[in-house]
Amino acid sequence: MAETHKKTVQPNKQALLNRLKRVEGQVRGLHRMIDEDKYCVDILHQISAVESALKNVSLVLMEDHAKHCMVKAIQNGNQEETIEELMDIIKRMK
């Protein structure tokens, strides 16, 4: 996975960090459930909850990116690159 060196100020940084802390706790819970031989269906429900929580983090980040980074890039004349980047993001999230 290629990492860019672009930086930005995350407008919802604290909310994102809080969500990720909850996800981290959910993942620790999954580890504990497996270690304690919990019922498979219960573990699968928890996995689904983690996946959903991460998708929500992604959606918040995508919205912030569209409202801030993309708008700025388009205003600076980088329409093609911005659209290509957006399509790459959508393909990865799919």
Side-chain angles (χ1 to χ4, degrees), residues 76-91:
N76 291 332
N78 297 324
Q79 294 89 340
E80 282 297 316
E81 180 184 334
T82 303
I83 298 301
E84 286 178 23
E85 184 179 62
L86 174 63
M87 293 310 299
D88 184 51
I89 293 167
I90 291 169
K91 289 174 187 173

Side-chain angles (χ1 to χ4, degrees), residues 51-73:
E51 290 172 337
S52 177
L54 283 173
K55 285 273 188 209
N56 286 330
V57 170
S58 294
L59 289 173
V60 169
L61 277 170
M62 183 184 278
E63 183 177 356
D64 288 346
H65 184 66
K67 288 181 176 178
H68 302 284
C69 303
M70 289 180 65
V71 167
K72 191 182 296 184

Side-chain angles (χ1 to χ4, degrees), residues 18-30:
N18 290 342
R19 285 176 183 236
L20 289 171
K21 284 179 187 175
R22 281 194 295 274
V23 170
E24 188 178 13
Q26 289 175 303
V27 171
R28 279 194 307 271
L30 274 169

Side-chain angles (χ1 to χ4, degrees), residues 7-24:
K7 291 189 177 189
T8 188
V9 174
Q10 296 295 333
N12 293 305
K13 184 176 186 173
Q14 194 55 54
L16 289 169
L17 290 173
N18 290 342
R19 285 176 183 236
L20 289 171
K21 284 179 187 175
R22 281 194 295 274
V23 170
E24 188 178 13

Side-chain angles (χ1 to χ4, degrees), residues 23-36 38 43 46:
V23 170
E24 188 178 13
Q26 289 175 303
V27 171
R28 279 194 307 271
L30 274 169
H31 186 275
R32 189 170 40 255
M33 290 173 80
I34 291 171
D35 186 50
E36 295 173 0
K38 297 295 182 182
I43 295 169
Q46 186 64 20

